[in-house]
Amino acid sequence: MPTALTAPAAGAVPPDASPDVTGSDAALRRYLHGLPGVDAVGLEARAATLGTRSIKTSAKAYALDLAISMIDLTTLEGADTPGKVRSLCAKGANPDPTDRTTPRVAAICVYPDMVPVAREALAGTGIAVASVATAFPAGRAGLEVKLADTREAVAAGADEIDMVIDRGAFLAGRYLQVYEEIRAVREACARPDGSAAHLKVIFENGELATYDNIRRASWLAMLAGAHFIKTSTGKVAVNATLPNTLLMLEAVRDFRAATGRQVGVKPAGGIRTTKDALKYLVVVNETAGEDWLTPEWFRFGASSLLNDLLMQRQKLRTGSYSGPDYVTVD
């Protein structure tokens, strides 16, 4: 029998956060609305303060390599071709042909039909193949369509699935529907050998509109068994921001304190420069802690960020700024 959730006291970490417990839609709603409200002014002020922190030259080389190793190098366009995907895979495996010490990216993220191409191109590299699914980016499809989308990607060899939640259902307060959909997609990530693709759950924060909604979505996804929570699809006007990523990092930190289970965070969309990436690393370190400063627990969803990181890395190594003509064009 499912266990009824107990709403947490204001300002407290929820005491009962097992990912296997849920009651009725009303009980889940009471639980999520019992989460402490977000102090928007305080959140944005803290994010702004952390964004001014500088990384000294002695640590910058390490930070640049860490950021590269955390990238989900992404192409999600209607004009994607096998050739474009193979080129992206080659770049992810060998980002700077002039310097073989450059780390590889964490994953290549593509549409489900391109998973076999990426899988073949990345064989032996150790780079994961990530695939969006569940009628990305809008998520406007029936559950069976979403599950078929997921199973197709997993069967083709995807190591990771990036799903989108039904924002309409969430905003209408149908939290149990969203919870059950995430659970169903996680089950669809299973493989015949007993292993499973990791599940990243995308909120589309720009459409959730409020920080309180982002906090509720974070806890809802983690309760449902997400391996990662992700800010956005990169397809709307407002994508990843320092404040909403900081809020999600607070959520995963508190969730681990309550349950013992660690969940990753992936900001995606709009992170294009080294300066921005380093700000995010500072926020990770200062909010969740060093345990999240690995590709296993923190990722950047990006397409253009890698080039700027490579140019900054070359500058650090050679003393001169090479410019965009010295890196490959995606």
Side-chain angles (χ1 to χ4, degrees):
M1 293 292 292
T3 303
L5 294 167
T6 303
V13 173
D16 182 5
S18 166
D20 295 322
V21 297
T22 186
S24 65
D25 202 15
L28 188 54
R29 185 180 303 109
R30 284 195 301 271
Y31 182 80
L32 294 175
H33 283 262
L35 291 167
V38 179
D39 175 0
V41 174
L43 178 74
E44 292 174 359
R46 177 159 174 76
T49 297
L50 292 175
T52 64
R53 298 273 182 89
S54 61
I55 295 179
K56 304 303 181 184
T57 302
S58 57
K60 191 171 183 180
Y62 170 78
L64 290 173
D65 281 0
L66 181 60
I68 291 171
S69 74
M70 291 174 163
I71 289 177
D72 283 2
L73 195 56
T74 302
T75 183
L76 296 169
E77 303 297 335
D80 286 343
T81 64
K84 181 179 180 182
V85 170
R86 290 189 189 99
S87 177
L88 199 68
C89 291
K91 181 170 183 174
N94 186 18
D96 184 353
T98 69
D99 184 358
R100 296 289 180 167
T101 67
T102 308
R104 293 169 172 171
V105 301
I108 302 294
C109 187
V110 295
Y111 276 114
D113 63 312
M114 289 294 169
V115 169
V117 177
R119 188 76 183 176
E120 181 182 11
L122 294 172
T125 65
I127 298 172
V129 177
S131 175
V132 295
T134 66
F136 178 95
R140 308 307 298 185
L143 180 57
E144 287 307 313
V145 173
K146 294 179 180 181
L147 296 180
D149 200 24
T150 303
R151 293 185 186 111
E152 175 191 347
V154 173
D159 301 296
E160 302 170 359
I161 295 295
D162 289 33
M163 72 166 286
V164 288
I165 66 166
D166 185 334
R167 280 90 75 189
F170 180 90
L171 291 169
R174 300 197 302 274
Y175 299 132
L176 189 59
Q177 177 183 332
V178 179
Y179 173 93
E180 290 177 340
E181 187 170 284
I182 295 170
R183 296 288 289 177
V185 173
R186 173 160 172 162
E187 291 174 5
C189 289
R191 303 187 186 96
D193 64 1
S195 64
H198 277 207
L199 179 63
K200 306 193 198 89
V201 178
I202 309 170
F203 303 148
E204 201 68 289
N205 286 345
E207 293 184 350
L208 296 189
T210 70
Y211 291 132
D212 284 338
N213 277 341
I214 294 170
R215 174 170 281 170
R216 290 168 190 148
S218 297
W219 278 88
L220 180 60
M222 294 187 292
L223 289 168
H227 296 102
F228 260 76
I229 54 176
K230 179 177 171 181
T231 63
S232 35
T233 63
K235 302 295 186 181
V236 297
V238 178
N239 292 290
T241 68
L242 275 182
N244 65 38
T245 303
L246 190 157
L247 179 57
M248 291 166 66
L249 286 162
E250 289 178 344
V252 297
R253 177 199 64 198
D254 294 345
F255 186 79
R256 189 178 73 169
T259 68
R261 186 166 72 84
Q262 189 161 338
V263 176
V265 175
K266 178 180 173 180
I271 305 171
R272 298 183 177 88
T273 69
T274 297
K275 184 177 181 180
D276 287 340
L278 297 187
K279 288 180 181 179
Y280 278 88
L281 293 184
V282 170
V283 169
V284 174
N285 187 61
E286 295 296 321
T287 305
E290 292 184 7
D291 287 352
W292 272 267
L293 279 175
T294 74
E296 183 179 2
W297 300 112
F298 192 80
R299 300 281 184 84
F300 292 107
S303 55
S304 59
L305 172 62
L306 180 56
N307 277 354
D308 196 66
L309 287 167
L310 292 175
M311 288 188 288
Q312 294 297 328
R313 194 177 188 276
Q314 289 172 3
K315 180 182 179 182
L316 204 63
R317 178 168 55 93
T318 65
S320 59
Y321 189 73
S322 57
D325 292 335
Y326 287 82
V327 293
T328 58
V329 177
D330 298 334

